[in-house]
Amino acid sequence: MGYRSEVYIAIPKKADKEMDKVMREFYNDDSPFKSYEHTQKWVESYGDETINKEETFVIYEGSWLRWYEEHKDVVAITSIAEKYSEDGACIVCIGEDGQIHSELGEYHEVFNVYTKVELV
């Protein structure tokens, strides 16, 4: 069966058509990823001046995936994230054991990852 992962990808809005093309190429209409837009808002201060800023990312979330660096779909998706990493693109993968096993870019600027302990 193999190791399964939850995969979270954020790319800047300007790259969504490129990522969607790769998703269609590898998954056709049966993509294991759901996608949606997420706008981050923050305030920057420069002395007495404050500036409201925002940036929109397209988020792709996939669950129970086999995410191996040598797989062609992973190579293609990762290459887009690498291309736009200066614009905030990132990937974080959490394995079925709850551990982060792959990351690209400053994922902590977009995603908060928590470990939760529950009684069995």
Side-chain angles (χ1 to χ4, degrees):
M1 182 150 202
Y3 191 75
R4 300 292 181 148
S5 303
E6 292 181 23
V7 178
Y8 300 88
I9 304 166
I11 58 164
K13 177 70 175 139
K14 67 182 179 180
D16 70 333
K17 301 252 186 291
E18 193 172 346
M19 183 65 84
D20 288 344
K21 180 180 176 188
V22 167
M23 294 289 183
R24 280 191 309 279
E25 177 183 337
F26 286 98
Y27 307 120
N28 298 310
D29 293 328
D30 193 27
S31 177
F33 290 93
K34 68 175 183 174
S35 65
Y36 56 91
E37 288 187 13
H38 170 71
T39 301
Q40 289 183 306
K41 297 180 182 187
W42 68 96
V43 176
E44 291 183 0
S45 297
Y46 302 97
D48 292 339
E49 183 181 2
T50 58
I51 301 172
N52 293 320
K53 299 258 186 161
E54 67 178 48
E55 185 169 12
T56 300
F57 290 97
V58 178
I59 307 298
Y60 296 83
E61 293 182 10
S63 294
W64 204 242
L65 302 176
R66 290 181 156 192
W67 191 262
Y68 295 102
E69 291 179 4
E70 65 274 7
H71 288 183
K72 290 179 182 178
D73 58 338
V74 175
V75 169
I77 291 167
T78 301
S79 70
I80 293 172
E82 286 173 340
K83 179 178 176 180
Y84 292 98
S85 63
E86 292 294 319
D87 297 311
C90 60
I91 300 173
V92 62
C93 305
I94 299 107
E96 59 192 59
D97 58 0
Q99 299 298 310
I100 294 173
H101 66 77
S102 297
E103 60 184 82
L104 174 82
E106 303 293 329
Y107 75 86
H108 56 273
E109 295 289 331
V110 180
F111 303 107
N112 287 323
V113 179
Y114 299 99
T115 300
K116 184 177 179 180
V117 176
E118 295 179 336
L119 295 172
V120 286

